[in-house]
Amino acid sequence: MSNALFGELPLKQGSIVRICVYSPDGKTVAVGLGNRKICVYSTSDWETLWTLEGHIYNLTRIVYSPDGKQIVSSSHDCTVRIWNILTGVCLHVLNGFDGAVYNVTYSPQGHQLVSACHDMRVKLWDVESGECRHIWIGHTEYVWEVAYSLKGNQIVSSSGDLTLRLWSIETKECLRVLHGHNAYIWSVSFSPQGDQVASASEDITIRLWDTSTGECRHIITGHTNYVRSVMYSPNGNQLASASFDYTVRLWDTGTGVCLQVLKGHTDYVRKVVYSPQGDMVVSASDDSTVRVWDTATGVCIQTLTGHSEKITDVDLSPQGDKIASGSDDKTVRLWDVRAGTSIRPIPSGHSGSVYKIKCSPRGGLVATCSKDKTIRLWDVQTGVCHQTLRGHTNEVNCVEFSPRGDQIASCGHDGTVRLWNVETEACTRTLARYANRVWTVAFSPQGDQLASASSNNTVKLWDLASGECRRTLSGHTNDVNGVMYLPSGNQIVSRSKDNTVRVWDAETGECIYTLRGHGRLNSFEYSPQGNQMVITNDDSTVRVWDIGTGECRHIFIGHNVGVWSVTYSPKGDQIASGGRDGSVRIWDTAARTCLWTLSGHNDKVNRIVYSSRGDLVVSASNDKSVRVWDVTSGQCRAVIQDFQVGVNDIVWIESHGPSYIVAGCDDGVVGMWQVSIDKDHCDVSLKWKTMKGELDMKDATIQDVQGLSQLNRKLLTQRGAVGEPADLLREASKKVATMVSVVSNLKTSSGSAVESSSFTNSALAKELEQEIEQKFQQAKGSLVQDILAVVERNTHGQE
């Protein structure tokens, strides 16, 4: 059966989804990401309720408390954290582990926790106080799995010593040691009645154990590869198992007989989950699909397709009507079980600040550029990331669509100007390789030329057919950080850090006149008629200039501090300006008066746009909000506060029905809100929003590493932690000579050491030394784990 898809975002620089789990009431989903953050989403509208940050190594488990008010998380960073879901606050950090914590779970009553750790210990914790109540010692290798019985009187643990142990919560005694498996034990599960424990192993068997005697009731065989997951049905009469042999099997727990062999997956099956009613089983596979099976007939009733990489986790809602799946494709999807439809993906966004947003002239697409070195093209209606354009080696400062919408121009800190084909995703030309940053680009109205402004104090005009530079406009004495063509295409306007604006003849390259008298320039824009230009600066004024004569027509005074953003209304009869103090002012261009002073923001207004009809103004601010203002009444009609950081840019998109606002933020998140307006109401609702992306670490490498075994070196090379530095960073690497031997103090238990290293990113050596030592003392992990953690932390911290 086919299933309709609402969209997906396969972002290579997003965050791999490691864990996804429903709350007991089904109203939220907690998602554990590869960047070690936990995002808690509302399942009604996929609004991000909380982003929980604190873990510094990979997450291993997330579990809701029985009342749904808390979650507990475990990590390779040797800690367990208890979080309040109502406030997003970390209530307790449970320390005292001497290695990675692989598993943690609540007692059925929710007042205790039990944890499994690499240090071979099982620990019992009091949830309210965060204190350790007991430590069970007995395993001789790391403890991987741990589970409570439903009565809460026993726990079972599995270990690398190939045994399971049953422990009494009341007496704290080890009740049974269960021997039998001869390979790694992947999964354990208590039966609902508590009289059985099922274990799944790499020895290709499942064992059913009697909890009262410790005897193995059944050794279940049939799978032909590792058995990865087992789960009892709600009534305890059946057991489902998932295997690397691509199958799911259903077993009778009384006899050990195989009831059904569920075939259909084409790759490893990693997890299996029963529905609350026991009538369905859900399986997750490396073949990038989720399958729903009828337990009575063994028929696959749904194949949920849409993910593009292996499924890392899957969970059913308590009502059994929805499925949440997470994948290596960096998305989470919510599925309707019966219909087989993807209700909504949780997309992943940029991993750095979103600098600019531009709408395609063709409609339907929005382009964003970011500090993360990429340009992304988004489907306006679905939030699907159609393309991620890679090629820049540093921050991308500007992105522009060509007038026909078939090309994109971009520029960045790497000193290049690039042209991209929208359809093929290919970089068709690299027009410039400046030694300095390129701040902005602009297409001519005819689309045959491109202007670029650079920190070398010049503007260059490029012929797009040949890729040659036709003119270099010289005259500015500092960075040129703004450029635009006037509507006629005959003139070009440039803005510079030398506090001047220059108007140039586009054909001859001559400077027609220079506009002076400003403080530091912040923004400029020409009127819809193309005969005037408005300029804002740090002297708190808004100046209107005649483009034909170069004369200042009027100076609007009213802001108390610098004016950061400005725009004309569609008819040109108004100007909207935003100040550093958070105020927005609406000016009448004919009467030269201030119509409204709009108060509400409490930080800098980064961007202002008018609606297409000119009756609304939308402002984006560093105060983490977007506001919609009625320019006829001066009232704030709506406030969007769905952001965790400042909003850098916004665009207004008009349609035949509702209109839309697209916003990009300092944390890399991109979102779109639907705006429905009538005489008395203005309703703004979230249509889609991305998650925070994960920082790309491919350029963070450790050089000249010595003292590694062949295996460790291979692992580090595969992860990109050992290799040649990027060409653009070689000079920076030389300048941090004090970083020599930063990692030399990291020693393995056998006494080997990394003798020397140099990093390709320029953080302070002293800080890195302190961080390495701190992490080493805390984690006491393997050499590979320590080095990878330092690289990852260092990369996340670089500017």
Side-chain angles (χ1 to χ4, degrees), residues 144-145 158 181-189 198-208 219-231 239-251 268-272 284:
W144 180 256
E145 286 279 328
S158 67
H181 285 296
N182 55 37
Y184 189 86
I185 302 169
W186 276 111
S187 178
V188 295
S189 179
S199 56
S201 171
E202 280 190 6
D203 64 11
I204 318 179
T205 69
I206 300 164
R207 291 179 178 252
L208 304 184
I219 301 175
I220 297 176
T221 60
H223 284 296
T224 58
N225 205 333
Y226 301 160
V227 187
R228 188 64 176 83
S229 173
V230 288
M231 184 179 184
L239 185 81
S241 59
S243 171
F244 280 12
D245 65 6
Y246 306 174
T247 70
V248 175
R249 290 177 181 249
L250 304 183
W251 312 88
Y268 296 161
V269 186
R270 293 186 177 270
K271 189 172 182 179
V272 64

Side-chain angles (χ1 to χ4, degrees), residues 387-428:
Q387 295 160 350
T388 300
L389 309 182
R390 295 181 172 87
H392 285 286
T393 58
N394 210 324
E395 302 176 22
V396 185
N397 296 321
C398 183
V399 62
E400 291 285 347
F401 277 98
S402 65
R404 292 189 299 176
D406 59 336
Q407 285 186 311
I408 284 177
S410 62
C411 63
H413 275 30
D414 61 2
T416 68
V417 175
R418 292 175 181 263
L419 287 177
W420 310 82
N421 184 296
V422 172
E423 297 296 331
T424 66
E425 192 180 338
C427 178
T428 56

Side-chain angles (χ1 to χ4, degrees), residues 143-154:
V143 185
W144 180 256
E145 286 279 328
V146 66
Y148 265 98
S149 64
L150 291 185
K151 296 179 181 178
N153 61 335
Q154 292 182 353

Side-chain angles (χ1 to χ4, degrees), residues 261-277:
V261 180
L262 312 181
K263 297 181 179 180
H265 286 297
T266 58
D267 207 332
Y268 296 161
V269 186
R270 293 186 177 270
K271 189 172 182 179
V272 64
V273 184
Y274 268 98
S275 65
Q277 297 78 23

Side-chain angles (χ1 to χ4, degrees), residues 616-630:
L616 298 175
V617 160
V618 185
S619 56
S621 171
N622 268 0
D623 67 3
K624 309 176 188 178
S625 75
V626 171
R627 289 179 175 262
V628 181
W629 310 88
D630 188 319

Side-chain angles (χ1 to χ4, degrees), residues 547-604:
I547 292 179
T549 64
E551 295 178 358
C552 182
R553 289 299 188 185
H554 188 70
I555 301 176
F556 290 106
I557 299 175
H559 284 286
N560 297 319
V561 294
V563 187
W564 189 258
S565 53
V566 71
T567 188
Y568 272 97
S569 64
K571 295 180 180 178
D573 58 336
Q574 292 180 359
I575 292 172
S577 57
R580 288 183 179 271
D581 60 358
S583 68
V584 175
R585 289 177 179 261
I586 308 297
W587 311 90
D588 187 304
T589 56
R592 299 180 177 179
T593 58
C594 180
L595 298 174
W596 303 107
T597 299
L598 310 179
S599 300
H601 290 299
N602 55 36
D603 205 340
K604 182 177 70 173

Side-chain angles (χ1 to χ4, degrees), residues 20 56 113 149 152 208 239 255 271 311 321 453 509 521 564 628 727 770 784:
C20 61
I56 59 174
L113 290 172
S149 64
L208 304 184
L239 185 81
T255 64
K271 189 172 182 179
I311 312 297
D321 59 339
L521 301 175
W564 189 258
V628 181
D727 292 338
Q770 292 173 349
V784 175

Side-chain angles (χ1 to χ4, degrees), residues 18-90:
R18 299 186 183 277
I19 305 164
C20 61
V21 58
Y22 268 100
S23 63
D25 60 7
K27 293 182 178 180
T28 63
V29 167
V31 178
L33 303 176
N35 61 11
R36 306 170 306 281
K37 298 175 184 178
I38 302 167
C39 291
V40 182
Y41 295 94
S42 166
T43 56
S44 61
D45 56 8
W46 283 116
E47 176 63 17
T48 305
L49 301 178
W50 304 108
T51 299
L52 311 179
E53 303 183 34
H55 286 295
I56 59 174
Y57 288 174
N58 288 341
L59 297 164
T60 56
R61 189 62 55 95
I62 298 173
V63 181
Y64 275 90
S65 61
D67 62 7
K69 295 180 180 179
Q70 297 178 350
I71 62 171
V72 62
S73 56
S74 58
S75 167
H76 282 278
D77 65 7
C78 313
T79 69
V80 169
R81 289 177 176 260
I82 302 174
W83 311 84
N84 185 318
I85 292 303
L86 303 180
T87 63
V89 172
C90 181

